[in-house]
Amino acid sequence: MPYTYIVRCADDSYYVGSTWDLEGRVWQHNSPDLGAAYTRRRQPVTLAWSCWYDSIEEAFLFEKRVQGWSRKKREALIRGDFEALPDLSRRAAVQRRMADGGGFEAQA
């Protein structure tokens, strides 16, 4: 069964991947020579989030999407806070403007 997953590394960073064998892949990330170079330097890693898909193509596409997300957005996904995801997609300037009063003001 194909999965997209996020592991939390020992340095508190995140690594996003996709795989057919979730348990085996997390084990590889914790091995001295089989995991990704990024996780080999940041062991141990623990599984923070995963989701299965009908095809490896879907899992890979979601992996690539999540790799582009901010830390805050990844953490919302891990928490299951799906309502927060759209707001976290907005640029930082838009987020600040929304927090300061919400929205756009008409210019004279």
Side-chain angles (χ1 to χ4, degrees):
M1 178 175 310
Y3 290 89
T4 301
Y5 64 92
I6 301 174
V7 293
R8 183 186 313 268
C9 301
D11 67 355
D12 206 34
S13 64
Y14 295 109
Y15 177 88
V16 182
S18 57
T19 185
W20 281 99
D21 178 6
L22 186 59
E23 185 177 314
R25 188 64 180 140
V26 173
W27 180 87
Q28 287 175 339
H29 283 303
N30 281 308
S31 75
D33 57 352
L34 296 176
Y38 185 88
T39 57
R40 282 197 308 263
R41 296 187 310 268
R42 293 165 174 84
Q43 293 175 348
V45 305
T46 57
L47 183 64
W49 175 88
S50 66
C51 183
W52 64 271
Y53 291 86
D54 291 328
S55 71
I56 195 66
E57 291 81 15
E58 288 176 291
F60 179 75
L61 288 173
F62 196 67
E63 169 194 348
K64 293 303 169 191
R65 181 182 296 174
V66 174
Q67 284 176 345
W69 288 3
S70 68
R71 179 179 183 87
K72 286 183 180 183
K73 190 168 180 179
R74 290 179 187 188
E75 289 176 338
L77 177 66
I78 291 166
R79 285 192 313 272
D81 187 1
F82 304 114
E83 291 179 10
L85 296 177
D87 287 336
L88 293 170
S89 295
R90 297 190 177 117
R91 292 187 327 245
V94 174
Q95 290 179 24
R96 281 192 300 277
R97 201 168 32 242
M98 297 294 281
D100 290 342
F104 300 90
E105 297 178 23
Q107 296 181 351

